[in-house]
Amino acid sequence: MSPPDQSNGFSPLRKKLSSFDHALRTAQQLRGQTGVPHYVVHGVAPLQSYKVTMRPPAWPDRWLAMVA
């Protein structure tokens, strides 16, 4: 059995959890629970690929999706 691919230093689970698809699903779940629109934006920190927030992004170029 070969070890998981960690060429970038991160586990495969971290790659999955930091994906756009995961951020979008999280935003959809939060929208369903709170009734408030959520946004998926590019994260600022290097280890934060995507961010889910209730505030409209200050920089429109970081806005990737809105779950209304």
Side-chain angles (χ1 to χ4, degrees), residues 22-41:
H22 186 263
L24 185 60
R25 281 192 305 273
T26 300
Q28 291 168 336
Q29 289 174 354
L30 290 170
R31 169 62 171 110
Q33 291 173 0
T34 65
V36 177
H38 281 73
Y39 302 86
V40 178
V41 297

Side-chain angles (χ1 to χ4, degrees), residues 6-21:
Q6 293 186 357
S7 58
N8 61 1
F10 301 120
S11 72
L13 180 58
R14 182 174 180 92
K15 183 177 179 181
K16 180 180 177 183
L17 292 175
S18 65
S19 70
F20 173 79
D21 292 335

Side-chain angles (χ1 to χ4, degrees), residues 39-42 55-66:
Y39 302 86
V40 178
V41 297
H42 275 293
R55 295 183 183 184
W59 301 286
D61 60 323
R62 293 185 188 253
W63 186 339
L64 299 175
M66 176 183 164

